[in-house]
Amino acid sequence: MNKYIFSLFVIVIFQTTKAQNHTFTKQDSLRGSITPERAWWDLTYYHLDISVDPSTKSIKGKNSVHYKVLEPDSVLQIDLQAPLIITKVTQNDKELEVRTDGNAHFITLKNDQKKGSLQSLDVYYEGQPQEAKRAPWDGGFSWKKDDNGNDFIATSCQGLGASVWWPNKDHMYDEVDSMLISVRIPKALMEVSNGQLRRIEDHKDGTKTYNWFVNSPINNYGVNVNIGDYVHFSEDYKGEKGLLKMDYYVLKDNLEKAKKQFKDAPRMMEAFEHWFGPYPFYEDGYKLVEVPYLGMEHQSSVTYGNGYENGYLGRDLSGTGWGLKFDFIIIHESAHEWFANNITYKDMADMWIHESFTAYAESLFLEYFYGKKAGAEYVIGTRQGIQNDAPIIGPYNVNQPGSGDMYYKGANILHTLRQWINDDEQWRQILRGLNKTFYHQTVTTEQIENYISKTSGIDLSAFFDQYLRSTMIPNLEYEIKDQQLKYRWTNSVDKFEMPVQVVMGEKELWLYPKKDWSLTLINVGDLRVSSDFYVTSKRL
């Protein structure tokens, strides 16, 4: 692929790299930190009950918020973004005072909030939610029409936050344990959300309500609404935990194309259960839902808009040819079921946990079906899009991710780490172990780093500092003279000592460079670093 085209792809998707030049505001802190008004209560259940009116591009309804009191307090923060407005908040049928500060709304409670007690309140709201300008990256509602003139509507909101369209505790650290999503729409259309469909209610005014129940913990941005002139087909997948229902919802004109293209879905499930362990949401099923934008990793309701083509909108992002062996959106967004929806970052600064592992999953899918060489060539090919413009980890407590390099630099970091561990089965068990150890949990970078260091038996602290917290790429500097090889790491953080595999003549060997010079005797006068390592080299 032309590098310019790839760079445009990076710019469009990863609008995440300007944190160093960003002046953060009070609103950033209210959105991105665990404020005192968030810390004292723990989410247990939501019932989001809304009506969607395509004719006015408006929504109206309420969210019933259930929670457990961790420490007594009287002020609770709920988030909702303008132009939507909260019309009232009640608890035990008593209307409560709401103080608004931008997108944060502080509710003064009248009931005694005893430690350990279970409480609930109802947040009523309405309005015309922000319309997504370039979904899914800018967030909001997409109000579109299909080719037959029918309404075709979807939500997407990862970066901006779920509070762009519904009131909630909009911070990633606290996932609700379960959730009911009730959406009332015009009768001629179909609505698809997360989890399992419990019932459909018909109303006399020409509308109907779809009720979807989510059994598992779910992050806020993973909740979605999709409305269209859908048709449905399904299959049962025999997975590691038994039969998994796989449902597909597509526009009726695309049914035959979908039946062919969506064959990648069970292939994805086979590959990723091998690498990552059981699909994490058997109780909620797996869905692919066609939407009027590219796609998104909504939990158990993965959205799809890749044009029924292999690659990324028909293009191979690696430039190797391997990227045309699979539908990018089906594989990439579904991999997020393990890394994003099962294991979820607590703070957006650690978004690499979602995107690095998922971008790496693309190569693992190829390896599973086409061999190790195919997977390696693909991930190495994606290096052409790495910018090294900013650290992968972003600033904390302000709802800000790090560099977009979290995708393909992140994938190559993991590919490099696999070489260091040098045991493919141990590496697979580390990936599966992450999903088992942190099953349905929110995590920090430190937890992920510590787990991999402990299970691999290697102190990887300098490795992660090098690749996640700096923009430096380690450089193997070496000199060959009189059958003696002298080598060291430069452009590296303190204590960086990663071994590296090299080829000298026809012989492969491992070197163990440090910051200081090391010496070894050799018989040939040429050296090439294995391309499986994301490093540079320079002969003096």
Side-chain angles (χ1 to χ4, degrees):
M1 170 181 283
N2 179 286
K3 189 168 184 178
Y4 175 71
I5 294 175
F6 192 100
S7 297
L8 286 179
F9 163 80
V10 171
I11 291 168
V12 169
I13 289 191
F14 314 141
Q15 298 175 16
T16 58
T17 60
K18 298 181 180 178
Q20 314 96 303
N21 302 318
H22 187 86
T23 300
F24 295 108
T25 66
K26 179 183 179 183
Q27 283 299 307
D28 292 320
S29 295
L30 289 176
R31 171 73 174 86
S33 64
I34 304 173
T35 62
E37 294 81 8
R38 284 171 168 160
W40 64 270
W41 56 287
D42 178 60
L43 278 169
T44 59
Y45 176 75
Y46 283 137
H47 179 195
L48 179 62
D49 185 4
I50 62 171
S51 296
V52 178
D53 186 350
S55 66
T56 60
K57 296 184 177 181
S58 64
I59 58 177
K60 182 177 182 179
K62 68 174 181 177
N63 187 21
S64 297
V65 181
H66 296 242
Y67 61 94
K68 181 178 181 179
V69 177
L70 303 178
E71 294 293 339
D73 209 314
S74 60
V75 181
L76 177 150
Q77 179 180 340
I78 288 290
D79 304 284
L80 183 68
Q81 299 180 33
L84 293 172
I85 60 169
I86 292 177
T87 54
K88 68 175 179 177
V89 180
T90 63
Q91 187 168 63
N92 293 343
D93 297 322
K94 298 176 182 177
E95 190 163 347
L96 304 176
E97 178 187 345
V98 181
R99 177 178 62 85
T100 294
D101 186 347
N103 297 325
H105 307 272
F106 299 95
I107 301 163
T108 300
L109 305 170
K110 296 179 179 179
N111 287 359
D112 188 13
Q113 306 290 306
K114 292 183 180 179
K115 183 176 181 177
S117 65
L118 298 176
Q119 308 274 355
S120 67
L121 53 81
D122 294 325
V123 182
Y124 294 81
Y125 78 111
E126 62 183 44
Q128 292 178 312
Q130 176 172 310
E131 188 166 353
K133 299 178 184 66
R134 188 187 288 137
W137 305 290
D138 57 358
F141 259 77
S142 295
W143 306 94
K144 304 293 183 180
K145 299 280 188 180
D146 67 19
D147 290 341
N148 298 314
N150 300 301
D151 288 300
F152 192 21
I153 301 163
T155 59
S156 54
C157 57
Q158 180 177 13
L160 198 55
S163 56
V164 74
W165 69 273
W166 60 286
N168 61 84
K169 187 181 190 178
D170 206 0
H171 192 288
M172 297 290 287
Y173 88 100
D174 190 5
E175 292 188 342
V176 71
D177 298 334
S178 61
M179 183 173 183
L180 178 62
I181 306 166
S182 302
V183 184
R184 189 166 178 165
I185 63 168
K187 200 168 188 175
L189 300 172
M190 184 185 296
E191 195 277 327
V192 184
S193 288
N194 314 78
Q196 301 280 8
L197 182 62
R198 276 191 166 178
R199 66 185 183 278
I200 303 172
E201 304 168 85
D202 287 303
H203 307 292
K204 293 180 180 179
D205 64 353
T207 63
K208 56 185 175 182
T209 299
Y210 286 79
N211 294 275
W212 297 86
F213 185 74
V214 182
N215 284 279
S216 308
I218 185 169
N219 63 62
N220 292 326
Y221 84 82
V223 178
N224 71 342
V225 166
N226 307 287
I227 301 168
D229 185 23
Y230 288 128
V231 292
H232 166 247
F233 64 103
S234 66
E235 62 185 314
D236 290 329
Y237 177 78
K238 294 181 180 179
E240 289 195 13
K241 292 177 68 175
L243 285 182
L244 172 65
K245 185 74 176 298
M246 300 184 72
D247 290 291
Y248 311 111
Y249 295 86
V250 300
L251 296 180
K252 62 182 180 183
D253 288 354
N254 294 330
L255 178 60
E256 294 308 314
K257 287 188 289 186
K259 286 182 176 179
K260 178 181 178 181
Q261 192 71 7
F262 286 7
K263 289 180 181 179
D264 258 2
R267 295 177 79 227
M268 170 279 301
M269 198 64 67
E270 179 182 348
F272 291 159
E273 284 208 329
H274 169 81
W275 286 110
F276 304 143
Y279 174 69
F281 306 106
Y282 270 73
E283 300 85 353
D284 292 322
Y286 170 89
K287 291 187 287 294
L288 266 180
V289 187
E290 185 174 0
V291 291
Y293 62 86
L294 184 61
M296 194 69 198
E297 68 257 27
H298 302 113
Q299 183 173 307
S300 73
S301 181
V302 174
T303 50
Y304 177 86
N306 199 38
Y308 299 98
E309 296 181 281
N310 279 359
Y312 175 89
L313 296 173
R315 302 195 299 271
D316 174 14
L317 297 181
S318 74
T320 65
W322 291 113
L324 297 178
K325 294 291 187 181
F326 62 92
D327 188 307
F328 178 92
I329 291 299
I330 294 176
I331 304 310
H332 179 93
E333 304 303 346
S334 297
H336 276 307
E337 295 281 38
W338 285 264
F339 292 97
N341 298 335
N342 185 38
I343 304 173
T344 309
Y345 59 70
K346 275 188 166 74
D347 190 295
M348 188 177 277
D350 291 333
M351 191 174 174
W352 77 275
I353 297 169
H354 294 196
E355 302 301 350
S356 297
F357 282 93
T358 299
Y360 177 60
E362 298 160 24
S363 67
L364 293 181
F365 173 85
L366 284 167
E367 178 173 337
Y368 184 84
F369 285 106
Y370 302 101
K372 192 172 180 178
K373 183 174 181 286
E377 287 179 354
Y378 176 86
V379 70
I380 292 167
T382 63
R383 290 177 189 171
Q384 63 183 308
I386 297 173
Q387 306 294 306
N388 281 314
D389 56 347
I392 285 177
I393 294 179
Y396 288 93
N397 300 315
V398 287
N399 195 49
Q400 182 71 42
S403 168
D405 280 344
M406 69 179 79
Y407 288 75
Y408 290 124
K409 181 179 178 180
N412 277 279
I413 291 168
L414 295 172
H415 185 67
T416 299
L417 180 55
R418 178 184 182 178
Q419 314 313 310
W420 185 353
I421 291 173
N422 199 28
D423 184 324
D424 287 347
E425 183 56 26
Q426 184 184 16
W427 179 241
R428 185 171 80 99
Q429 293 306 322
I430 287 172
L431 298 175
R432 291 174 66 94
L434 283 166
N435 280 279
K436 182 177 181 180
T437 301
F438 301 112
Y439 182 76
H440 290 179
Q441 293 181 35
T442 59
V443 300
T444 63
T445 287
E446 183 181 17
Q447 288 176 282
I448 299 299
E449 289 181 9
N450 290 344
Y451 178 87
I452 299 176
S453 286
K454 182 178 179 181
T455 52
S456 67
I458 304 169
D459 180 359
L460 295 169
S461 54
F463 175 89
F464 286 118
D465 284 344
Q466 175 77 36
Y467 284 108
L468 298 180
R469 298 178 178 88
S470 86
T471 59
M472 297 185 295
I473 304 304
N475 179 66
L476 181 67
E477 189 173 80
Y478 66 97
E479 182 178 53
I480 300 174
K481 188 176 181 180
D482 299 329
Q483 293 188 314
Q484 188 176 67
L485 172 65
K486 183 170 71 169
Y487 57 93
R488 66 178 179 181
W489 285 123
T490 61
N491 204 40
S492 59
V493 300
D494 290 342
K495 300 181 181 178
F496 182 80
E497 297 183 355
M498 180 179 71
V500 63
Q501 194 171 35
V502 301
V503 177
M504 301 199 72
E506 297 181 356
K507 184 178 180 182
E508 292 183 352
L509 69 152
W510 285 87
L511 300 179
Y512 298 86
K514 300 180 180 180
K515 298 280 282 188
D516 298 325
W517 288 107
S518 297
L519 297 173
T520 188
L521 296 176
I522 59 170
N523 295 319
V524 294
D526 188 28
L527 180 150
R528 177 175 57 84
V529 177
S530 168
S531 58
D532 286 316
F533 289 80
Y534 182 49
V535 299
T536 61
S537 63
K538 181 181 180 180
R539 181 173 180 173
L540 298 179

